[in-house]
Amino acid sequence: QISEAEVALFSVSSYACQRRTTLDNHNSNLTDALSLLAENAELNNEDGRGVAFRRAAALMKALPTQVISMSQLRGLPCLGEHSLRVIKDVLENGVSSEVESTKQSKRYKALKILTGIFGVGAKTADRWIREGIYNLEQLRHSGQTLNRAQKSGLEHYDDLNEPVTKAEADAIGEIVQKAVDSVLTGSQVALTGGFRRGKLTGHDVDFLITHPEEGKEVGLMPKVVAWLESRGFLLYQKTTRNSYLESKDGPARPASNMDRFERCFSIFKLTKGKEQETASHKIWRAVRVDLVVSPISQFAFAVLGWTGSKLFERELRRWAGHEKNMSLSSHALFDNTQNKYLRATSEEEIFAYLGLEYIPPSERNA
Ligand code: DGT
Ligand code: MG
């Protein structure tokens, strides 16, 4: 029993972009459970449920101390009936029965294994499962036609499911910087994604490339990719062309979250340091790397949009739309009331336009 005095009543803002969420999580027992259910919902294409669990998990991540009793959660936003039931189960029994049965389920296990292949999403995995394919062995013998990405993903499955370290991200950063310097002097490379938020590991490495002179970045991606390819750094690459400027009515209001920068999805061949060499004597490993090129005029929006976390980004856009009548994307901020774009050269300016306190990357780990 805890006395009233011991019950800390937390006061927490309802949008994740109003909160400071560091990597220091005092409630990982609860957030792990909620995140697993979020992931399971996403794998089953139940996006609404996924977001609800993500919001609940993010709320728990932002609490300053460990929760030990349901009474401490009174009045907190973002906690739906279902999430509260899961939390109660964990607090009372140490585990959530729903999480445990999900983890054990044949379908969840198969979805995890199959979507662990680069290039395979929830829809493809679901189709394969309906055809009786539950693991890599069955997939390999199924005669399914795989696209180029999926073939590469299957070939490098173990490497790509091994977390990337910060040291590896930095090593790749040096290679990308060298490539960019060689093809266009003055170009800049920024590490974004989870590593910019201070994470020590990640599932991939995200880079944003720009040039201080507007327009100079045009045509940069193919040159960078060719440089990397000719030196044997790429095991796979697929570049998608920028479609932003191609839309007939110019840089129109950001209609969707789909981002229209020139982007390269790649698999890097990273030579290991001596100490990382394994028993197999393989001297390199495969690493997922995303390269994005942005014109300098959109760079601040691009950096903000690619730093994450995914939920933080989603909440920023929801805040912009619902609270400020603005549309935020990785390209621009449009004020629907004034009917104009708001220019920015730094993330700080964007937060200011949105009427939000500035949250540094290390506190965007929602
Ligand atoms: P990780 O890689 O698992 O350690 O975690 P993150 O946070 O680096 O996640 P990641 O790599 O999937 O994505 C990095 C950020 O980039 C994420 O917060 C959202 C953003 N992002 C990812 N894909 C897209 C996209 O297609 N369009 C836009 N606008 N943003 C994206
Ligand atoms: Mg990442």
Side-chain angles (χ1 to χ4, degrees):
Q1 271 313 91
I2 32 170
S3 70
E4 274 300 308
E6 282 174 281
V7 177
L9 276 185
F10 305 113
S11 161
V12 183
S13 305
S14 67
Y15 285 86
C17 55
Q18 298 173 291
R19 308 192 292 251
R20 297 179 182 274
T21 313
T22 64
L23 289 168
D24 192 13
N25 178 356
H26 304 284
N27 289 285
S28 50
N29 56 335
L30 302 173
T31 60
D32 286 353
L34 294 165
S35 300
L36 186 133
L37 296 179
E39 182 194 31
N40 185 53
E42 288 157 4
L43 288 172
N44 284 293
N45 279 306
E46 299 170 326
D47 291 345
R49 267 160 79 88
V51 172
F53 283 129
R54 292 275 174 219
R55 283 213 187 105
L59 189 284
M60 302 308 293
K61 282 182 202 168
L63 298 182
T65 58
Q66 189 185 357
V67 169
I68 50 170
S69 138
M70 289 302 283
S71 62
Q72 291 171 279
L73 303 178
R74 239 180 286 137
L76 285 181
C78 309
L79 301 176
E81 202 183 306
H82 197 158
S83 292
L84 283 170
R85 205 159 66 228
V86 173
I87 292 168
K88 185 160 185 276
D89 211 4
V90 175
L91 290 181
E92 287 175 0
N93 309 309
V95 291
S96 144
S97 53
E98 187 178 358
V99 168
E100 293 311 298
S101 65
T102 302
K103 275 196 217 167
Q104 302 297 318
S105 84
K106 198 176 168 189
R107 179 175 168 81
Y108 173 78
K109 286 185 197 166
L111 284 169
K112 278 287 277 183
I113 291 168
L114 298 175
T115 59
I117 305 169
F118 169 62
V120 177
K123 291 209 175 86
T124 302
D126 176 65
R127 178 163 51 80
W128 287 345
I129 290 169
R130 281 188 278 110
E131 292 175 37
I133 299 165
Y134 288 84
N135 57 44
L136 304 187
E137 203 50 31
Q138 289 171 338
L139 176 63
R140 286 196 179 99
H141 293 106
S142 67
Q144 288 283 341
T145 331
L146 304 182
N147 64 30
R148 208 166 55 85
Q150 295 163 345
K151 278 183 197 149
S152 250
L154 196 53
E155 185 180 345
H156 304 294
Y157 189 86
D158 290 341
D159 274 358
L160 298 184
N161 283 284
E162 179 77 26
V164 185
T165 65
K166 179 63 165 58
E168 288 168 334
D170 289 338
I172 292 167
E174 280 178 32
I175 297 167
V176 173
Q177 184 69 59
K178 203 168 165 195
V180 160
D181 286 342
S182 308
V183 300
L184 181 64
T185 48
S187 302
Q188 296 166 5
V189 178
L191 180 64
T192 61
F195 289 112
R196 182 159 184 259
R197 303 195 307 275
K199 280 179 63 182
L200 298 174
T201 61
H203 95 283
D204 67 359
V205 194
D206 308 288
F207 293 103
L208 192 56
I209 303 167
T210 191
H211 191 282
E213 210 176 309
E214 184 85 3
K216 278 272 175 77
E217 80 291 346
V218 174
L220 186 53
M221 186 71 92
K223 288 182 195 152
V224 171
V225 170
W227 191 98
L228 291 167
E229 204 141 50
S230 70
R231 280 155 186 80
F233 285 119
L234 300 181
L235 296 162
Y236 167 90
Q237 70 85 14
K238 184 184 163 74
T239 307
T240 55
R241 288 235 327 119
N242 177 353
S243 63
Y244 196 64
L245 296 168
E246 287 169 2
S247 61
K248 276 203 205 75
D249 28 40
R253 225 169 304 175
S256 75
N257 303 334
M258 266 307 285
D259 146 86
R260 290 175 279 186
F261 288 120
E262 198 168 18
R263 178 174 180 180
C264 177
F265 301 89
S266 78
I267 300 177
F268 252 66
K269 182 175 181 175
L270 180 66
T271 305
K272 292 182 187 178
K274 278 248 175 326
E275 54 284 2
Q276 284 99 38
E277 281 179 32
T278 52
S280 67
H281 298 294
K282 207 178 98 188
I283 58 153
W284 56 269
R285 69 160 291 191
V287 179
R288 273 276 299 115
V289 176
D290 273 3
L291 303 175
V292 177
V293 170
S294 154
I296 190 75
S297 61
Q298 300 174 15
F299 190 64
F301 297 99
V303 169
L304 179 59
W306 286 86
T307 296
S309 71
K310 283 207 180 75
L311 187 81
F312 192 91
E313 301 295 335
R314 175 184 271 277
E315 293 279 280
L316 269 179
R317 292 192 298 265
R318 189 165 70 94
W319 169 272
H322 290 197
E323 308 294 332
K324 296 285 155 181
N325 195 25
M326 293 179 184
S327 311
L328 175 69
S329 75
S330 300
H331 299 277
L333 179 62
F334 189 82
D335 184 330
N336 297 300
T337 310
Q338 298 184 66
N339 205 38
K340 69 170 193 190
Y341 284 98
L342 304 172
R343 309 271 158 217
T345 54
S346 69
E347 291 181 307
E348 283 86 345
E349 281 175 83
I350 304 171
F351 279 87
Y353 280 137
L354 292 169
L356 289 168
E357 213 176 296
Y358 178 67
I359 310 285
S362 62
E363 296 177 332
R364 295 180 205 160
N365 286 292

